Amino acid sequence: MFACSECGAQSLRWEGRCKACGTWGSLDMLADAGNNGAVDPVALNDVSCRPAPRTATGFAELDRVLGGGWVAGSVVLIGGEPGIGKSTLLLQVCGRSATRTVYVASEESPGQIALRAQRLGVRSDSLYLLDTCDPDAVARTLTAEPPGLCIVDSVQSLVCARVDGVPGGPAQVRGAAALLVPAARAARCTLVLVGQMTKAGDLAGPRFLEHAVDAVLLFEGDRHLRVRALRSVKNRFGATDEIGLFEMGERGLREVERASDLLLTDRRPGPGSVVAAVVEGRRALCVEVQALLVGERRPVVRRRAQGVDARRLELLVGVVESLFCGEIAGRAVFVNVVGGLAVRDRGLDLAVAAAVLGAQLGLEVDREAVVIGEVGLRGEVRPVPRLEARLKEARAMGFGRALVPAGSGATRIPGLELREVEHIQDALLPWAESVASS
Ligand code: TYD
Ligand code: MG
């Protein structure tokens, strides 16, 4: 067996050039070649279970999403649409960290990055920019003098000379990851890869990257609004679906403890607008759901969901239709969670159903109330986890009433009147009555 002294890759034959990292004359014979390359198994009891050491990122919200800070030798992918604030966040992280950091300027020039740093008031003696698009050069730099943190902004603008294919395409990104990931692991350096995301929510280029890394964080939000959420969708070192909240301002991103006020600031109550109290990660949030129904008896029906799972919307519209007004069938339905957050919590169901029905009937839901509950196929409202946290958040946001699933045994919150709902029909009863009498 031979091993490359540069990248550690092993090979059965000696070769002039390492196949993995391309270095010439770096293959050395391994001392113990007597076992035919077999690997000794390790007893489970002998494997160390010590938690990986962590380094704080400088942002409590980012630490929360990572599960306690950067892990040495781990690889984190941060994805998001262009302009959402990935580069801003990472540059601010650099400003708050004393760890020697290498920032690979593959997308923007060092000049542009320095300008952004100036605008953000980021100063650092431990930050170094690497002006290259060559992942090979980055890998060598990591090996030669390992930094604590390496940020590649962005991975899609790297160009691997030895790989065919368009920059940013699957082959190129795969080639770059194959060089960078082992180099970072060997150097015990935290590697952060920035990935541009398409509108559809997929990471541009290959999904392969998601498998090659330890954690995938997605930066979500509406570019035109201030609030941003960083969500962990994969994390080998922490919980998934945890979110961190930020606000984009004049001088970059600021952490926010409570995003509900930002999300509800421009709310104009009316038919088709309902506020839900949801739980994302470990925190409760109030969000506004808006529904718009247009057209009549269209042969091809459009259903558009933003911030709500499209299949969930399909199902909820079906339930509302079957119970109340079949005529929704021929109308286009648009549903949006204001602020650009993608809500995965089923506790949003009742608000979505109520918004759709309100839009259909032209009636407003009680504007003093938040709406909480999962909805089943027969229209029954089911209990949701963490009801108390949701109610506290609703009260803190000034709501006086809450529609909650029946039998969920909620603790009373002073100043918040609870109305138990067994079936979406119960939640909608006041409207149904006013429709009948009109
Ligand atoms: P950027 O971080 O470059 O986004 P990404 O790297 O995800 O493509 O920029 C985010 C947007 O935020 C950009 O359109 C400009 C704006 N912005 C601010 O509003 N305030 C600031 O302090 C900065 C640096 C950017
Ligand atoms: Mg950027």
Side-chain angles (χ1 to χ4, degrees), residues 264-279:
L264 297 182
T265 21
D266 296 327
R267 180 170 185 239
R268 295 207 187 87
S273 157
V274 179
V275 176
V278 297
V279 168

Side-chain angles (χ1 to χ4, degrees), residues 109-166:
S109 69
Q112 286 169 310
I113 294 172
L115 205 65
R116 180 187 283 124
Q118 202 176 47
R119 201 152 25 107
L120 293 170
V122 166
R123 267 187 293 277
S124 169
D125 297 330
S126 52
L127 175 59
Y128 296 86
L129 305 183
L130 205 60
D131 187 9
T132 182
C133 293
D134 177 9
D136 218 352
V138 179
R140 285 163 200 259
T141 307
L142 295 186
T143 311
E145 199 182 342
L149 180 65
C150 174
I151 296 166
V152 178
D153 188 2
S154 66
V155 71
Q156 275 113 345
S157 32
L158 294 176
V159 183
C160 219
R162 280 176 289 134
V163 175
D164 293 333
V166 290

Side-chain angles (χ1 to χ4, degrees), residues 245-326:
L245 295 171
F246 298 88
E247 179 186 8
M248 180 65 91
E250 290 287 294
R251 304 203 65 195
L253 291 156
R254 198 175 61 78
E255 303 179 85
V256 280
E257 184 49 40
R258 294 244 322 275
S260 304
D261 359 13
L262 289 171
L263 289 167
L264 297 182
T265 21
D266 296 327
R267 180 170 185 239
R268 295 207 187 87
S273 157
V274 179
V275 176
V278 297
V279 168
E280 291 290 307
R282 269 174 289 171
R283 105 214 287 161
L285 278 171
C286 292
V287 293
E288 179 190 358
V289 181
Q290 292 181 332
L292 174 70
L293 275 62
V294 283
E296 301 287 342
R297 299 178 194 286
R298 298 205 169 162
V300 182
V301 182
R302 287 214 293 164
R303 303 267 149 91
R304 253 322 131 71
Q306 236 171 41
V308 191
D309 180 64
R311 273 175 299 185
R312 197 73 197 156
L313 173 64
E314 210 50 71
L315 182 143
L316 291 168
V317 169
V319 171
V320 171
E321 251 168 18
S322 73
L323 289 168
F324 298 103
C325 34

Side-chain angles (χ1 to χ4, degrees), residues 81-88 103 107-108 116 153-154 194 196:
E81 283 182 25
I84 201 72
K86 303 179 292 296
S87 305
T88 304
Y103 194 114
E107 189 176 293
E108 293 172 297
R116 180 187 283 124
D153 188 2
S154 66
V194 174
Q196 302 292 5

Side-chain angles (χ1 to χ4, degrees), residues 22-379:
T23 311
W24 290 97
S26 62
L27 290 199
D28 299 323
M29 192 190 283
L30 286 177
D32 181 19
N35 61 355
N36 282 338
V39 180
D40 285 336
V42 182
L44 177 65
N45 292 340
D46 294 341
V47 178
S48 159
C49 308
R50 271 182 300 134
R54 303 266 190 174
T55 316
T57 62
F59 282 98
E61 290 294 297
L62 178 55
D63 289 344
R64 169 210 282 266
V65 178
L66 287 167
W70 304 121
V71 175
S74 74
V75 184
V76 179
L77 174 64
I78 297 191
E81 283 182 25
I84 201 72
K86 303 179 292 296
S87 305
T88 304
L89 175 67
L90 291 169
L91 200 54
Q92 286 181 275
V93 164
C94 294
R96 294 183 181 197
S97 148
T99 324
R100 204 174 87 82
T101 303
V102 167
Y103 194 114
V104 181
S106 55
E107 189 176 293
E108 293 172 297
S109 69
Q112 286 169 310
I113 294 172
L115 205 65
R116 180 187 283 124
Q118 202 176 47
R119 201 152 25 107
L120 293 170
V122 166
R123 267 187 293 277
S124 169
D125 297 330
S126 52
L127 175 59
Y128 296 86
L129 305 183
L130 205 60
D131 187 9
T132 182
C133 293
D134 177 9
D136 218 352
V138 179
R140 285 163 200 259
T141 307
L142 295 186
T143 311
E145 199 182 342
L149 180 65
C150 174
I151 296 166
V152 178
D153 188 2
S154 66
V155 71
Q156 275 113 345
S157 32
L158 294 176
V159 183
C160 219
R162 280 176 289 134
V163 175
D164 293 333
V166 290
Q172 280 290 342
V173 174
R174 192 181 302 233
L179 285 169
L180 295 176
V181 172
R185 292 211 201 288
R188 306 290 301 148
C189 149
T190 303
L191 176 64
V192 179
L193 302 174
V194 174
Q196 302 292 5
M197 230 165 67
T198 58
K199 276 264 179 272
D202 267 352
L203 288 161
R207 295 204 65 108
F208 154 80
L209 256 192
E210 299 187 44
H211 301 291
V213 302
D214 299 302
V216 179
L217 313 184
L218 297 185
F219 218 175
E220 303 173 343
D222 185 329
R223 262 193 307 142
H224 307 291
L225 296 174
R226 286 180 298 163
V227 56
R228 306 274 192 276
L230 190 65
R231 179 192 301 271
S232 66
V233 292
K234 166 180 176 173
N235 195 348
R236 287 191 183 138
F237 299 105
T240 50
D241 255 334
E242 191 52 78
I243 64 170
L245 295 171
F246 298 88
E247 179 186 8
M248 180 65 91
E250 290 287 294
R251 304 203 65 195
L253 291 156
R254 198 175 61 78
E255 303 179 85
V256 280
E257 184 49 40
R258 294 244 322 275
S260 304
D261 359 13
L262 289 171
L263 289 167
L264 297 182
T265 21
D266 296 327
R267 180 170 185 239
R268 295 207 187 87
S273 157
V274 179
V275 176
V278 297
V279 168
E280 291 290 307
R282 269 174 289 171
R283 105 214 287 161
L285 278 171
C286 292
V287 293
E288 179 190 358
V289 181
Q290 292 181 332
L292 174 70
L293 275 62
V294 283
E296 301 287 342
R297 299 178 194 286
R298 298 205 169 162
V300 182
V301 182
R302 287 214 293 164
R303 303 267 149 91
R304 253 322 131 71
Q306 236 171 41
V308 191
D309 180 64
R311 273 175 299 185
R312 197 73 197 156
L313 173 64
E314 210 50 71
L315 182 143
L316 291 168
V317 169
V319 171
V320 171
E321 251 168 18
S322 73
L323 289 168
F324 298 103
C325 34
E327 61 266 33
I328 288 182
R331 310 191 73 184
V333 178
F334 302 92
V335 170
N336 177 30
V337 174
V338 179
L341 286 196
V343 178
R344 321 229 158 154
D345 177 21
R346 290 279 174 88
L348 187 75
D349 284 359
L350 189 56
V352 172
V356 169
L357 190 67
Q360 166 69 13
L361 301 177
L363 291 173
E364 190 182 332
V365 188
D366 179 0
R367 58 172 75 183
E368 285 301 307
V370 293
V371 170
I372 301 165
E374 182 179 337
V375 171
L377 277 185
R378 288 177 299 113

Side-chain angles (χ1 to χ4, degrees), residues 384-424:
V384 291
R386 317 252 341 261
L387 186 59
E388 196 177 331
R390 296 169 198 256
L391 295 175
K392 279 188 178 148
E393 182 68 8
R395 184 66 204 116
M397 286 305 298
F399 287 93
R401 267 185 298 282
L403 306 193
V404 299
S408 33
T411 343
R412 303 272 150 198
I413 308 282
L416 192 70
E417 180 196 331
L418 301 187
R419 267 184 53 204
E420 295 209 345
V421 178
E422 255 174 50
H423 194 270
I424 49 178

